[in-house]
Amino acid sequence: MKLQLALDLVNIPQAIELIKEVQEHVDVVEIGTPVVINEGLRAVKEVKDAFPNLTVLADLKIMDAAGYEVSQAAASGADIVTILGAAEDASIKGAVEEAQKQGKQILVDMIAVKDKKARARELDEMGVDYICVHTGYDLQAVGQNSFEDLRTIKSVVKNAKTAIAGGIKMDTLSEVIAAQPDLIIVGGGITSQEDKKAAAAQMQNLIKEAVTG
Protein backbone atom coordinates (compact mmCIF):
# COMPACT_ATOMS: atom_id res chain seq x y z
CA MET A 1 0.00 0.00 0.00
CA LYS A 2 1.56 3.24 -1.18
CA LEU A 3 0.90 6.93 -0.51
CA GLN A 4 0.60 9.36 -3.42
CA LEU A 5 0.78 13.13 -2.99
CA ALA A 6 -1.50 14.98 -5.42
CA LEU A 7 -0.38 18.49 -6.36
CA ASP A 8 -3.16 20.43 -8.06
CA LEU A 9 -3.05 24.09 -7.05
CA VAL A 10 0.63 24.96 -7.32
CA ASN A 11 3.13 26.24 -9.87
CA ILE A 12 6.45 24.49 -10.52
CA PRO A 13 8.56 26.26 -7.84
CA GLN A 14 5.81 25.74 -5.25
CA ALA A 15 5.55 22.06 -6.20
CA ILE A 16 9.28 21.54 -5.77
CA GLU A 17 9.29 23.28 -2.37
CA LEU A 18 6.35 21.22 -1.20
CA ILE A 19 7.85 17.92 -2.35
CA LYS A 20 11.10 18.79 -0.54
CA GLU A 21 9.11 18.99 2.68
CA VAL A 22 7.37 15.63 2.38
CA GLN A 23 9.51 13.53 0.01
CA GLU A 24 10.66 11.02 2.63
CA HIS A 25 7.04 10.20 3.55
CA VAL A 26 5.43 9.69 0.12
CA ASP A 27 5.95 7.07 -2.59
CA VAL A 28 4.43 8.81 -5.61
CA VAL A 29 4.12 12.48 -6.56
CA GLU A 30 1.25 13.42 -8.83
CA ILE A 31 1.48 16.42 -11.11
CA GLY A 32 -2.24 17.18 -11.15
CA THR A 33 -4.32 18.09 -14.17
CA PRO A 34 -4.56 21.80 -13.22
CA VAL A 35 -0.75 22.00 -12.99
CA VAL A 36 -0.33 20.32 -16.40
CA ILE A 37 -2.91 22.73 -17.88
CA ASN A 38 -1.15 25.76 -16.38
CA GLU A 39 2.48 24.70 -16.79
CA GLY A 40 2.52 21.95 -19.43
CA LEU A 41 4.58 18.76 -19.27
CA ARG A 42 7.54 20.92 -18.23
CA ALA A 43 6.15 20.53 -14.70
CA VAL A 44 6.57 16.76 -14.93
CA LYS A 45 10.10 17.11 -16.29
CA GLU A 46 11.26 19.59 -13.67
CA VAL A 47 9.85 17.55 -10.79
CA LYS A 48 11.40 14.33 -12.10
CA ASP A 49 14.75 16.08 -12.62
CA ALA A 50 14.61 17.44 -9.07
CA PHE A 51 13.49 14.13 -7.49
CA PRO A 52 14.77 11.31 -9.70
CA ASN A 53 14.15 8.66 -7.03
CA LEU A 54 10.46 9.49 -6.61
CA THR A 55 7.78 7.92 -8.80
CA VAL A 56 6.12 10.74 -10.76
CA LEU A 57 2.56 10.48 -12.04
CA ALA A 58 1.30 12.78 -14.81
CA ASP A 59 -2.43 13.22 -14.34
CA LEU A 60 -3.26 13.90 -17.99
CA LYS A 61 -6.75 12.31 -17.86
CA ILE A 62 -6.26 11.26 -21.49
CA MET A 63 -9.40 10.86 -23.58
CA ASP A 64 -7.99 10.56 -27.12
CA ALA A 65 -4.70 10.31 -29.04
CA ALA A 66 -3.59 8.15 -26.15
CA GLY A 67 -0.45 6.56 -27.57
CA TYR A 68 0.96 9.96 -28.53
CA GLU A 69 0.10 11.62 -25.22
CA VAL A 70 1.58 8.76 -23.19
CA SER A 71 4.77 8.96 -25.29
CA GLN A 72 5.07 12.70 -24.57
CA ALA A 73 4.51 12.24 -20.83
CA ALA A 74 7.07 9.41 -20.77
CA ALA A 75 9.59 11.60 -22.59
CA SER A 76 9.08 14.22 -19.86
CA GLY A 77 9.89 11.69 -17.13
CA ALA A 78 6.47 10.45 -16.04
CA ASP A 79 6.51 6.95 -14.54
CA ILE A 80 2.71 6.64 -14.46
CA VAL A 81 0.21 8.35 -16.79
CA THR A 82 -3.56 8.61 -16.31
CA ILE A 83 -6.29 7.93 -18.83
CA LEU A 84 -10.04 8.16 -18.26
CA GLY A 85 -12.03 4.97 -17.92
CA ALA A 86 -14.69 6.63 -20.07
CA ALA A 87 -12.27 6.73 -23.03
CA GLU A 88 -12.72 4.41 -26.01
CA ASP A 89 -11.26 0.90 -25.70
CA ALA A 90 -8.96 1.71 -28.63
CA SER A 91 -7.54 4.66 -26.69
CA ILE A 92 -6.97 2.59 -23.56
CA LYS A 93 -5.29 -0.17 -25.53
CA GLY A 94 -3.12 2.44 -27.26
CA ALA A 95 -2.11 3.91 -23.91
CA VAL A 96 -1.24 0.50 -22.47
CA GLU A 97 0.76 -0.46 -25.57
CA GLU A 98 2.79 2.77 -25.53
CA ALA A 99 3.38 2.60 -21.77
CA GLN A 100 4.66 -0.97 -22.02
CA LYS A 101 6.96 0.07 -24.86
CA GLN A 102 8.38 2.86 -22.66
CA GLY A 103 8.53 0.81 -19.45
CA LYS A 104 5.87 3.03 -17.84
CA GLN A 105 2.51 2.39 -16.18
CA ILE A 106 -1.10 3.38 -16.86
CA LEU A 107 -3.58 4.40 -14.19
CA VAL A 108 -7.22 4.53 -15.27
CA ASP A 109 -9.33 7.17 -13.55
CA MET A 110 -12.93 5.96 -13.16
CA ILE A 111 -14.36 9.46 -12.67
CA ALA A 112 -17.80 9.69 -14.36
CA VAL A 113 -17.90 5.98 -15.29
CA LYS A 114 -21.45 4.79 -14.56
CA ASP A 115 -21.08 0.99 -14.47
CA LYS A 116 -17.81 0.76 -12.59
CA LYS A 117 -17.98 -2.99 -12.02
CA ALA A 118 -18.34 -3.88 -15.71
CA ARG A 119 -15.79 -1.29 -16.83
CA ALA A 120 -13.24 -2.40 -14.23
CA ARG A 121 -13.52 -5.95 -15.52
CA GLU A 122 -12.90 -4.77 -19.10
CA LEU A 123 -9.99 -2.53 -18.11
CA ASP A 124 -8.39 -5.35 -16.16
CA GLU A 125 -8.46 -7.52 -19.28
CA MET A 126 -6.85 -4.69 -21.30
CA GLY A 127 -3.79 -4.84 -19.08
CA VAL A 128 -3.91 -1.48 -17.29
CA ASP A 129 -1.70 -1.20 -14.22
CA TYR A 130 -4.00 0.68 -11.83
CA ILE A 131 -7.74 1.30 -11.67
CA CYS A 132 -8.57 4.34 -9.55
CA VAL A 133 -11.92 5.22 -8.01
CA HIS A 134 -12.08 8.99 -7.80
CA THR A 135 -14.56 11.31 -6.19
CA GLY A 136 -13.83 14.58 -8.00
CA TYR A 137 -14.02 18.04 -6.43
CA ASP A 138 -17.55 18.62 -7.67
CA LEU A 139 -18.92 15.46 -6.03
CA GLN A 140 -16.89 15.90 -2.84
CA ALA A 141 -18.73 19.20 -2.47
CA VAL A 142 -22.01 17.29 -2.15
CA GLY A 143 -20.62 14.78 0.32
CA GLN A 144 -19.82 11.75 -1.85
CA ASN A 145 -16.88 9.37 -1.35
CA SER A 146 -15.41 6.36 -3.16
CA PHE A 147 -15.23 3.61 -0.52
CA GLU A 148 -18.12 1.56 -1.91
CA ASP A 149 -16.78 1.92 -5.47
CA LEU A 150 -13.39 0.64 -4.31
CA ARG A 151 -14.96 -2.47 -2.80
CA THR A 152 -16.89 -3.04 -6.04
CA ILE A 153 -13.77 -2.78 -8.19
CA LYS A 154 -11.69 -4.97 -5.89
CA SER A 155 -14.33 -7.69 -6.21
CA VAL A 156 -13.75 -8.06 -9.98
CA VAL A 157 -10.15 -7.05 -10.66
CA LYS A 158 -7.67 -9.91 -11.04
CA ASN A 159 -4.44 -8.30 -12.30
CA ALA A 160 -4.58 -4.52 -11.98
CA LYS A 161 -3.81 -2.73 -8.74
CA THR A 162 -6.44 -0.46 -7.21
CA ALA A 163 -6.21 3.18 -6.17
CA ILE A 164 -8.52 5.64 -4.44
CA ALA A 165 -8.60 9.44 -4.64
CA GLY A 166 -10.83 12.27 -3.59
CA GLY A 167 -11.05 14.16 -0.31
CA ILE A 168 -9.00 11.71 1.78
CA LYS A 169 -7.92 13.25 5.07
CA MET A 170 -6.44 11.99 8.32
CA ASP A 171 -9.86 11.38 9.86
CA THR A 172 -10.99 9.17 6.95
CA LEU A 173 -7.67 7.43 6.31
CA SER A 174 -8.39 4.43 8.58
CA GLU A 175 -11.57 3.69 6.63
CA VAL A 176 -9.64 3.96 3.35
CA ILE A 177 -6.88 1.63 4.60
CA ALA A 178 -9.51 -0.92 5.72
CA ALA A 179 -10.72 -1.13 2.10
CA GLN A 180 -7.14 -2.14 1.14
CA PRO A 181 -6.30 -0.21 -2.02
CA ASP A 182 -2.77 -0.51 -3.40
CA LEU A 183 -2.42 3.26 -3.78
CA ILE A 184 -3.94 5.99 -1.60
CA ILE A 185 -3.98 9.42 -3.24
CA VAL A 186 -4.04 12.45 -0.94
CA GLY A 187 -4.08 16.10 -1.95
CA GLY A 188 -5.44 18.70 0.45
CA GLY A 189 -5.19 16.23 3.34
CA ILE A 190 -1.46 17.01 3.16
CA THR A 191 -1.07 20.20 1.11
CA SER A 192 -3.58 22.27 3.11
CA GLN A 193 -2.04 21.37 6.48
CA GLU A 194 0.17 23.85 8.27
CA ASP A 195 2.80 21.17 8.96
CA LYS A 196 2.79 19.22 5.71
CA LYS A 197 5.71 17.00 6.66
CA ALA A 198 4.02 15.92 9.89
CA ALA A 199 0.74 15.23 8.09
CA ALA A 200 2.48 13.07 5.46
CA ALA A 201 4.50 11.25 8.13
CA GLN A 202 1.39 10.52 10.17
CA MET A 203 -0.40 9.13 7.12
CA GLN A 204 2.60 7.06 6.09
CA ASN A 205 2.84 5.58 9.59
CA LEU A 206 -0.83 4.57 9.62
CA ILE A 207 -0.38 2.86 6.23
CA LYS A 208 2.79 1.08 7.36
CA GLU A 209 1.12 -0.13 10.55
CA ALA A 210 -1.77 -1.56 8.51
CA VAL A 211 0.59 -3.29 6.09
CA THR A 212 2.80 -4.85 8.76
CA GLY A 213 -0.16 -5.64 11.00
Side-chain angles (χ1 to χ4, degrees):
M1 204 181 296
K2 291 181 175 179
L3 179 60
Q4 176 170 311
L5 171 69
L7 298 175
D8 285 325
L9 305 174
V10 292
N11 58 31
I12 294 171
Q14 288 167 338
I16 287 171
E17 281 308 303
L18 212 155
I19 297 163
K20 273 182 194 165
E21 273 187 74
V22 304
Q23 60 177 320
E24 63 201 86
H25 302 297
V26 300
D27 304 291
V28 184
V29 172
E30 170 189 331
I31 307 303
T33 315
V35 181
V36 176
I37 287 170
N38 291 335
E39 303 272 10
L41 283 171
R42 192 167 58 91
V44 175
K45 184 175 188 333
E46 293 197 24
V47 166
K48 189 63 180 180
D49 287 349
F51 305 96
N53 297 324
L54 276 178
T55 299
V56 175
L57 178 144
D59 190 18
L60 301 191
K61 293 190 174 76
I62 294 169
M63 195 67 184
D64 189 25
Y68 174 75
E69 293 189 6
V70 169
S71 74
Q72 296 308 292
S76 297
D79 301 293
I80 308 172
V81 186
T82 69
I83 187 167
L84 293 177
E88 301 286 358
D89 288 2
S91 298
I92 292 178
K93 287 172 184 170
V96 168
E97 192 181 324
E98 185 61 33
Q100 287 174 349
K101 209 185 289 178
Q102 305 281 351
K104 309 296 184 181
Q105 293 186 306
I106 294 295
L107 179 146
V108 177
D109 187 330
M110 298 291 274
I111 199 166
V113 171
K114 298 299 180 215
D115 188 345
K116 292 182 173 62
K117 191 172 192 174
R119 192 57 172 151
R121 198 178 271 122
E122 292 166 354
L123 292 164
D124 196 34
E125 286 171 8
M126 287 183 234
V128 305
D129 299 285
Y130 288 93
I131 299 175
C132 178
V133 291
H134 181 188
T135 304
Y137 283 111
D138 299 335
L139 288 184
Q140 286 173 46
V142 294
Q144 290 197 25
N145 68 50
S146 300
F147 304 136
E148 197 51 51
D149 291 337
L150 178 62
R151 281 187 277 273
T152 298
I153 283 173
K154 281 186 74 74
S155 73
V156 296
V157 164
K158 293 184 171 68
N159 303 305
K161 292 179 172 158
T162 56
I164 184 167
I168 297 167
K169 296 185 169 48
M170 198 62 214
D171 58 358
T172 56
L173 186 59
S174 294
E175 191 181 353
V176 174
I177 289 168
Q180 295 192 305
D182 298 291
L183 186 60
I184 297 173
I185 301 169
V186 179
I190 293 172
T191 59
S192 67
Q193 304 305 303
E194 204 167 311
D195 189 337
K196 296 168 183 54
K197 183 173 182 174
Q202 203 179 351
M203 287 187 165
Q204 185 191 45
N205 287 337
L206 256 186
I207 291 167
K208 279 183 173 170
E209 281 168 20
V211 171
T212 57

